[in-house]
Amino acid sequence: MKFSVLLTGITGLLLAGCGPKWTETETNGIKIVKNEGGKTLGYSSSSGVTILTVDRFGFKDLNKNGQLDAYEDWRLPANERAKNLASQMSVEQIAGLMLYSRHQSIPAQNRGFFAATYNGKPFSESGAKASDLSDQQKEFLTKDDLRHVLLTSVESPEVAAQWNNNMQALVEGIGLGIPGNNSSDPRHGTVANTEYNEGAGGRISMWPSSLGMAATFNPQLVEAFGKIAAKEYRALGIATALSPQIDIATEPRWLRVNGTFGEDPNLSADMGRAYTDGFQTSSGELEIADGWGYESVNAMVKHWPGGGSGEAGRDAHYAIGKYAVYPGNNFDMHLIPFTEGAFKLNGKTKMASAVMPYYTISYNQDTKNKENVGNAYNQYIIGDLLRDKYHYEGVVCTDWGVTGDETVLDMFIGGKPWGVEKLTIAERHYKLLMAGVDQFGGNNEKGPVLEAYNMGVKEHGEEFMRARFEQSAVRLLMNIFRTGLFENPYLNPEESKATVGKPEYMKAGYEAQLKSIVMLKNKNNVLPLQKNKTVYIPKKFTPKGRNFLGMETPESLDYPVNIDIVKKYFNITENPDEADFALAFVSSPNSGIGYDQADVKKGGNGYVPVSLQYGEYTAKQARETSLAGGDPLENFTNRTYKNKKSTAINTTDLGMITDASKKMKGKPVIAVIKMAHPMVFSEFEKNANAILVHFDVQDQALLDMLTGAAEPSALLPMQMPASMEVVETQAEDVPHDMVCHVDEAGNTYDFAFGLNWKGIIKDERTTRYKKK
């Protein structure tokens, strides 16, 4: 043992009359203390932390005061520990705890949105290790006392684990020794062109998107996903998930439909509950108390009070989409996935530990103060509804960038202070605090939080503001204590490598992908296909454009699937005359964000239709006057786009199906559609003998389904509209209100419709969820 360990052991011997009940080992600078009949502790040899022996047990002296404080005592309840620690924190330390970092990639990129430096140089020129902390990370962890870090891409599980250890060692040695609570947006999506081999591991298990999960109509599957994902998250050093997204997607044109569980409030509630239970629940020896423990991941459900009713489908990441509207007077239904799902768990953790409001202004829904401001700023929506009416005591964290300044109407990057554009950045922080918010997403600097504190002192007095800060501190600290991070935030990189993407997790994800594929049409039972036949696959043209960050993407013409995988199932020809059938792999129509600078240059207001069809659409049925409007960068409030035209960016996908139908001269054409949101099928449905719909699965899963290795079992989680005129006249806030497409077989593409090899699926799922 080290001398310090012997010393504390001797102290315990003298005080207790017998030897300590803990032993210590050290590996790669991380010391592990095992308490007999108690908690296992981990601390860094470089942090300056020592072990106290009290009642023969070992405890970390995180604040280095030589005595056991309540927050350091792992025998006490999390709430008691959190209150003790909050009372010891300075205002500056609490302000730092309230910050949630901007997006961090490990290692940082050399340039662009996620760029950072290492000793003043880009990563590629620095000689730094991928697991080293960037200059910017060191600054916000030390200078700004930030303890919540949002991770994006990581080079590998081992690098993520070592980065976590480096970060935790740094913050452990500062102040009160509060560990970092790392988070992630959903990261279990598929890499479509990768091959699945049973028994083989991967970087991380791959699952269908949330909309694909919804298509299974199986909450038990979603809970199983949550349990696996939580294990992988913890192995990466992640203790908070910025998910699930449980907005009900009542507006089919919304850009974020694919991140939801669909349009049905009851299905979304069941899926959100299962997801949260899966992520948050630890059991057995890994449980600390009340279902929380070392395999728990805090679930930050989003987006309160629902962001799925943006006017005309425009999204609130952009100023052009800041308004959520309620022409059907259906605001309360959007709360159901929260109040009846994520806030009423089946598991022992009882309630999602964090909530994120959406950027939107819930237009004219503040019945108390009559304010039209972003949800996080709205005292009625956060304070009166969420906190008081629904008794939510967890963390409320803003979406990223709501306190920044607006710079442009139609770009993703920039502040999103909707409705409070004229306030200063510090005033925005203060308004958020007074509304009931605890944390500021995407903010690395504590300066504006301290300014907000001083504003509160002037208005309410020091005692009031200190209590308000401690209230948020306790909420934030609870999520760190309950997940065991104060005892041991460190990882074994080799164990992380073995856990993340382990074969059994990869298999479960692949099986879920198969269960998420919907078959809509199977004329003359053309499916399943016989293997080793000859297939014609049209190439996909992708025009030059920009991604959601505004970065340019190049033009391309290539196969839309991994041809090497296809060759294991079929022979491939570029001559349709030689083919037995055609497979057209396409994506649902993408017409952009509903705003076009070219329209502005022509003297228009810039607003154009968001279309769900490939071909040109003229919005003859659009509103003469928009329901909501107004922005400091606009000199008008009417955002109408009536009689304007829109064509999908990927309109050539339509030709992949219709041209293949002509070239195949009566031989079967199978359309395989990667769906991000509902779409108009009338443009091409008669040109396809069979139609499969999927929500981000691997190519191999599609080929297994096409060849009968699995049978379709999924159902549509959304209605498919008969036309764009139907879409234009539905109410943005109301589910199940569209006339649906009817195909040539007489089947209606409605919510909960799907086929298997025998025909229309009718089972306990359709009985429970299908709208009567």
Side-chain angles (χ1 to χ4, degrees):
M1 287 187 179
K2 302 285 187 183
F3 176 73
S4 62
V5 177
L6 285 171
L7 182 61
T8 53
I10 292 169
T11 303
L13 177 66
L14 293 174
L15 292 175
C18 55
K21 298 174 67 174
W22 57 268
T23 58
E24 180 179 271
T25 58
E26 180 176 349
T27 304
N28 297 325
I30 304 300
K31 296 185 177 184
I32 300 297
V33 174
K34 292 188 177 181
N35 281 293
E36 182 184 336
K39 304 301 182 187
T40 296
L41 314 179
Y43 68 104
S44 170
S45 60
S46 65
S47 68
V49 167
T50 57
I51 299 298
L52 301 170
T53 299
V54 177
D55 298 332
R56 299 172 63 199
F57 289 117
F59 301 87
K60 292 196 288 186
D61 186 12
L62 290 168
N63 62 4
K64 307 177 185 66
N65 67 352
Q67 61 187 30
L68 182 63
D69 293 88
Y71 86 89
E72 297 166 335
D73 190 344
W74 43 259
R75 298 169 299 183
L76 297 177
N79 188 53
E80 185 175 339
R81 297 175 73 186
K83 287 180 179 178
N84 174 259
L85 178 52
S87 70
Q88 295 190 39
M89 295 176 72
S90 67
V91 170
E92 289 77 9
Q93 289 170 327
I94 296 176
L97 191 67
M98 289 176 166
L99 304 175
Y100 224 128
S101 83
R102 301 183 188 108
H103 300 68
Q104 305 293 309
S105 58
I106 311 298
Q109 297 178 8
N110 290 333
R111 61 187 61 84
F113 191 59
F114 304 119
T117 58
Y118 298 78
N119 294 320
K121 298 179 180 179
F123 176 73
S124 61
E125 301 172 13
S126 67
K129 296 178 181 178
S131 57
D132 286 348
L133 301 180
S134 71
D135 299 334
Q136 291 74 17
Q137 289 163 357
K138 291 175 183 177
E139 180 174 5
F140 64 58
L141 291 169
T142 57
K143 177 183 174 183
D144 291 288
D145 295 309
L146 185 149
R147 292 296 179 270
H148 294 80
V149 181
L150 172 56
L151 300 180
T152 55
S153 61
V154 295
E155 184 175 284
S156 68
E158 310 96 285
V159 166
Q162 189 56 56
W163 180 90
N164 170 80
N165 291 351
N166 292 338
M167 183 272 291
Q168 298 291 7
L170 175 62
V171 299
E172 187 174 71
I174 302 171
L176 297 165
I178 299 171
N181 181 358
N182 303 324
S183 73
S184 174
D185 279 310
R187 60 191 312 117
H188 281 82
T190 64
V191 180
N193 61 2
T194 56
E195 186 172 6
Y196 168 72
N197 293 303
E198 188 167 352
R203 284 291 180 88
I204 196 165
S205 60
M206 292 189 283
W207 299 71
S209 70
S210 293
L211 201 56
M213 296 281 195
T216 70
F217 281 64
N218 184 346
Q220 290 74 32
L221 182 150
V222 174
E223 184 171 352
F225 158 72
K227 291 181 181 297
I228 289 173
K231 291 179 173 68
E232 293 184 307
Y233 272 37
R234 292 304 299 263
L236 293 168
I238 296 168
T240 295
L242 304 188
S243 55
Q245 184 185 339
I246 56 176
D247 317 74
I248 53 173
T250 51
E251 169 46 61
R253 294 164 289 188
W254 188 32
L255 297 181
R256 300 196 67 180
V257 167
N258 66 329
T260 73
F261 291 119
E263 67 180 302
D264 187 78
N266 297 317
L267 178 62
S268 295
D270 289 348
M271 293 300 197
R273 183 187 310 110
Y275 188 111
T276 306
D277 269 329
F279 265 87
Q280 290 191 169
T281 304
S282 293
S283 58
E285 294 181 352
L286 295 170
E287 181 182 357
I288 297 171
D290 303 321
W292 291 100
Y294 302 107
E295 286 188 339
S296 296
V297 172
N298 295 288
M300 185 181 291
V301 294
K302 56 188 186 184
H303 303 87
W304 177 265
S309 64
E311 184 163 16
R314 296 186 296 270
D315 180 61
H317 278 87
Y318 311 91
I320 60 158
K322 64 167 67 173
Y323 296 103
V325 295
Y326 300 87
N329 196 29
N330 207 34
F331 176 84
D332 289 346
M333 182 178 283
H334 288 254
L335 306 182
I336 289 173
F338 298 90
T339 60
E340 304 304 313
F343 297 170
K344 287 186 179 179
L345 303 181
N346 294 326
K348 292 163 68 176
T349 66
K350 295 184 179 179
M351 182 180 290
S353 66
V355 171
M356 182 188 296
Y358 203 39
Y359 296 117
T360 44
I361 295 169
S362 296
Y363 193 67
N364 287 347
Q365 299 307 303
D366 180 350
T367 58
K368 180 181 180 181
N369 303 311
K370 310 299 182 183
E371 266 199 311
N372 279 315
V373 294
N375 292 315
Y377 290 100
N378 194 296
Q379 194 277 331
Y380 170 75
I381 285 174
I382 303 300
D384 290 43
L385 283 184
L386 181 60
R387 294 294 194 195
D388 296 341
K389 182 175 181 178
Y390 295 109
H391 309 293
Y392 184 74
E393 279 302 317
V395 169
V396 176
C397 177
T398 74
D399 212 330
W400 264 234
V402 302
T403 60
D405 289 329
E406 178 185 11
T407 56
V408 65
L409 286 165
D410 60 342
M411 291 290 285
F412 179 89
I413 299 173
K416 298 156 181 48
W418 310 147
V420 295
E421 292 90 347
K422 294 182 180 179
L423 298 183
T424 67
I425 290 175
E427 287 169 341
R428 292 170 194 157
H429 283 78
Y430 181 54
K431 186 171 179 63
L432 290 165
L433 285 168
M434 292 302 100
V437 166
D438 304 297
Q439 197 164 32
F440 310 103
N443 294 15
N444 290 3
E445 299 83 22
K446 66 183 178 184
V449 187
L450 295 174
E451 288 186 65
Y453 179 86
N454 291 330
M455 290 176 186
V457 170
K458 287 182 179 180
E459 184 173 355
H460 298 287
E462 185 87 40
E463 183 179 355
F464 174 91
M465 281 308 292
R466 174 73 203 190
R468 175 66 191 85
F469 259 44
E470 285 195 28
Q471 181 184 48
S472 286
V474 170
R475 290 168 179 158
L476 291 160
L477 291 168
M478 285 286 288
N479 291 351
I480 307 177
F481 278 114
R482 292 188 298 199
T483 50
L485 291 173
F486 272 90
E487 278 56 74
N488 184 16
Y490 296 95
L491 301 170
N492 180 323
E494 289 304 312
E495 291 180 3
S496 294
K497 179 181 179 181
T499 298
V500 179
K502 66 164 48 177
E504 65 188 84
Y505 299 168
M506 299 297 288
K507 181 180 180 181
Y510 189 77
E511 290 174 349
Q513 291 178 50
L514 293 171
K515 293 176 182 176
S516 73
I517 299 170
V518 183
M519 184 166 70
L520 295 181
K521 185 177 182 180
N522 193 18
K523 187 176 181 179
N524 298 325
N525 294 320
V526 65
L527 298 180
L529 300 169
Q530 185 177 334
K531 294 180 78 170
N532 300 317
K533 291 287 188 176
T534 301
V535 61
Y536 165 66
I537 300 176
K539 290 185 177 180
K540 180 181 178 73
F541 173 73
T542 302
K544 182 179 178 180
R546 293 182 181 274
N547 64 17
F548 74 102
L549 292 176
M551 301 169 64
E552 288 191 359
T553 55
E555 173 184 304
S556 66
L557 177 64
D558 203 354
Y559 283 114
V561 288
N562 186 328
I563 288 299
D564 290 332
I565 295 178
V566 176
K567 287 178 179 176
K568 296 183 178 182
Y569 293 80
F570 305 116
N571 300 312
I572 299 171
T573 181
E574 294 190 4
N575 183 356
D577 292 335
E578 297 174 353
D580 297 303
F581 52 87
L583 291 175
F585 293 90
V586 301
S587 299
S588 52
N590 171 19
S591 67
I593 63 173
Y595 192 85
D596 189 353
Q597 287 290 347
D599 183 68
V600 176
K601 292 176 182 178
K602 295 176 183 177
N605 64 2
Y607 292 86
V608 295
V610 177
S611 177
L612 300 182
Q613 67 184 42
Y614 293 112
E616 184 179 84
Y617 163 63
T618 302
K620 296 178 181 179
Q621 303 296 319
R623 298 181 179 109
E624 290 274 6
T625 303
S626 62
L627 295 177
D631 187 270
L633 299 182
E634 295 176 330
N635 59 5
F636 56 87
T637 58
N638 186 5
R639 295 180 162 189
T640 184
Y641 51 88
K642 186 176 178 66
N643 294 321
K644 292 183 183 178
K645 300 179 185 298
S646 178
T647 302
I649 298 166
N650 61 331
T651 185
T652 53
D653 281 21
L654 176 61
M656 291 170 67
I657 301 172
T658 57
D659 291 349
S661 178
K662 294 174 184 176
K663 292 175 181 178
M664 291 301 291
K665 301 173 183 176
K667 290 182 288 186
V669 174
I670 296 93
V672 181
I673 304 168
K674 178 181 176 181
M675 183 173 283
H677 47 65
M679 58 187 290
V680 175
F681 278 84
S682 57
E683 292 179 292
F684 64 87
E685 177 259 312
K686 291 183 179 179
N687 298 106
N689 299 79
I691 299 174
L692 288 185
V693 165
H694 71 98
F695 309 92
D696 295 329
V697 304
Q698 291 170 264
D699 295 342
Q700 186 173 344
L702 296 171
L703 291 161
D704 275 346
M705 186 65 71
L706 288 164
T707 54
E711 183 172 11
S713 62
L715 307 167
L716 284 176
M718 303 279 293
Q719 291 184 315
M720 298 297 126
S723 66
M724 272 306 299
E725 287 70 28
V726 166
V727 174
E728 207 68 73
T729 55
Q730 55 88 39
E732 285 93 336
D733 60 323
V734 178
H736 311 303
D737 65 338
M738 294 193 294
V739 176
C740 299
H741 177 75
V742 179
D743 70 13
E744 60 179 338
N747 291 323
T748 302
Y749 293 0
D750 203 348
F751 174 78
F753 170 76
L755 302 173
N756 57 24
W757 301 142
K758 299 181 183 67
I760 298 174
I761 297 172
K762 294 181 180 179
D763 57 21
E764 68 278 5
R765 298 172 302 162
T766 57
T767 299
R768 176 170 182 171
Y769 293 108
K770 192 169 179 62
K771 184 176 173 64
K772 301 296 189 292

